[in-house]
Amino acid sequence: MTSLVVTARDDVAEGVVALTLARPDGGRLPDWTPGAHVDLTLGSGDTRTYSLCGDRRDPSSYRVAVLREPAGRGGSSYVHDVLRVGDRIGLGGPRNHFPLVPAARYRFVAGGIGITPLLPMMTAADVLGAEWALLYGGRRRASMAFLDELRADRTTVVPQDEQGLLPLAAWLGPVDPDTIVYACGPAPLLAAVAELVPAARLRTELFVAAELAAPVRDTPFTVELARAGATVTVDAGTSVLDAARRAGATTLSSCERGTCGTCETTVLAGVPDHRDQILADHERAAGDVMLPCVSRAASDHLVLDL
């Protein structure tokens, strides 16, 4: 895994810190596209996934923003309370499950920290000469990151304590065939946008996991780990990821809620029961990859490339 050093750390809103990361030797980092994210392995040993929100034309640094989550699993607390300039962390990726596709017009909708993947998209839209506008909501103005970086002529800022909920219907209006809507934020926001925008014109990324659907089956199944040379039984109370780890398989994971894609694994045989919030419909239909942190088996047996 590539090692990065924290070269800058900035408080960009209440409870949000931005990190600038570079290689220790100052060398070139892997290229990335708007909507991409990286996996960062922290000194605590935890791996967390963050959207890249800096300048993709700068090959020497990455920028991410981290929201403090008091009810989280400790990753954000480590970043806020422990991580300092000069510290080193591990890098995985970048990967992109939320790419910017060509369009004549864009409408961007951000809820809270969901602004981060949209920042480079808006820059790219400017470069492409596309028309765009942003609707950005948050609990309080002070908690909304990067307000000073947004184009005032194309941005509508709606702090909830001042103006209430986002006026989605009035702001979006009818979505014409030349427009694509990008929305990122918590599940209730994305659900509200999805009620107003045709699926073919909508791209979303979830920053807070939605409630998982019930699995196709609640009986045990077996998983063969091709590289580890082991077969495990997965019961109703165990994830495929945990069962694989106990059997000696090694794989990175981050959110463990089916929202980041870090643990994406190749399926060599069997039929997965997809319960993630990352894979597209055609990827689910193909059945050749799955996210073992939340997805299970629809067949009696799976063979995974682990």
Side-chain angles (χ1 to χ4, degrees):
M1 177 177 288
T2 303
S3 178
L4 300 182
V5 62
V6 179
T7 60
R9 172 192 166 95
D10 302 290
D11 293 321
V12 293
E14 283 182 1
V16 183
V17 62
L19 303 176
T20 303
L21 310 168
R23 283 178 41 165
D25 62 2
R28 186 183 185 94
L29 290 166
D31 293 337
W32 57 283
T33 54
H37 57 262
V38 291
D39 302 316
L40 300 181
T41 300
L42 309 172
S44 60
D46 296 315
T47 298
R48 296 292 183 266
T49 301
Y50 302 108
S51 292
L52 290 169
C53 59
D55 183 358
R56 62 182 295 263
R57 296 165 295 183
D58 176 5
S60 64
S61 70
Y62 288 159
R63 183 178 71 168
V64 300
V66 182
L67 171 69
R68 182 188 286 277
E69 298 183 82
R73 294 176 295 130
S76 69
S77 295
Y78 181 89
V79 170
H80 279 258
D81 299 333
V82 179
L83 195 64
R84 294 294 179 263
V85 172
D87 289 348
R88 295 196 180 194
I89 56 181
L91 168 71
R95 299 188 314 280
N96 199 340
H97 295 289
F98 192 43
L100 185 70
V101 299
R105 285 179 290 277
Y106 298 101
R107 293 295 179 266
F108 299 108
V109 180
I113 198 64
I115 188 64
T116 52
L118 303 184
L119 292 175
M121 291 187 182
M122 292 180 285
T123 299
D126 275 334
V127 171
L128 295 170
E131 177 190 328
W132 64 270
L134 167 68
L135 180 64
Y136 181 17
R139 293 182 180 177
R140 301 176 306 281
R141 190 177 297 271
S143 70
M144 299 172 70
F146 303 116
L147 287 176
D148 59 343
E149 297 186 17
L150 303 176
R151 285 185 53 174
D153 61 325
R154 297 196 178 189
T155 301
T156 301
V157 176
V158 184
Q160 186 174 348
D161 64 343
E162 298 176 18
Q163 302 177 39
L165 298 176
L166 290 175
L168 291 172
W171 187 83
L172 284 167
V175 178
D176 63 65
D178 294 329
T179 298
I180 294 184
V181 177
Y182 277 82
C184 185
L189 171 64
L190 301 192
V193 174
E195 291 183 358
L196 300 169
V197 180
R201 315 311 305 162
L202 179 61
R203 305 290 187 275
T204 62
E205 183 166 65
L206 193 66
F207 264 37
V208 178
E211 184 176 346
L212 290 175
V216 169
R217 56 185 293 163
D218 56 9
T219 53
F221 55 91
T222 58
V223 176
E224 181 181 343
L225 309 171
R227 279 186 280 158
T231 298
V232 296
T233 298
V234 182
D235 59 33
T238 304
S239 71
V240 174
L241 180 65
D242 284 343
R245 283 175 169 166
R246 291 172 189 169
T250 56
T251 183
L252 282 178
S253 67
S254 177
C255 72
E256 300 193 3
R257 296 174 295 181
T259 63
C260 73
T262 301
C263 65
E264 183 177 307
T265 299
T266 298
V267 178
L268 301 176
V271 181
D273 170 19
H274 296 292
R275 305 173 73 231
D276 64 275
Q277 297 161 62
I278 288 287
L279 297 180
D281 289 344
H282 71 276
E283 293 173 308
R284 292 168 180 258
D288 54 3
V289 295
M290 67 178 287
L291 273 65
C293 64
V294 293
S295 296
R296 303 182 66 78
S299 55
D300 291 335
H301 186 69
L302 288 177
V303 183
L304 302 182
D305 187 23
L306 289 174

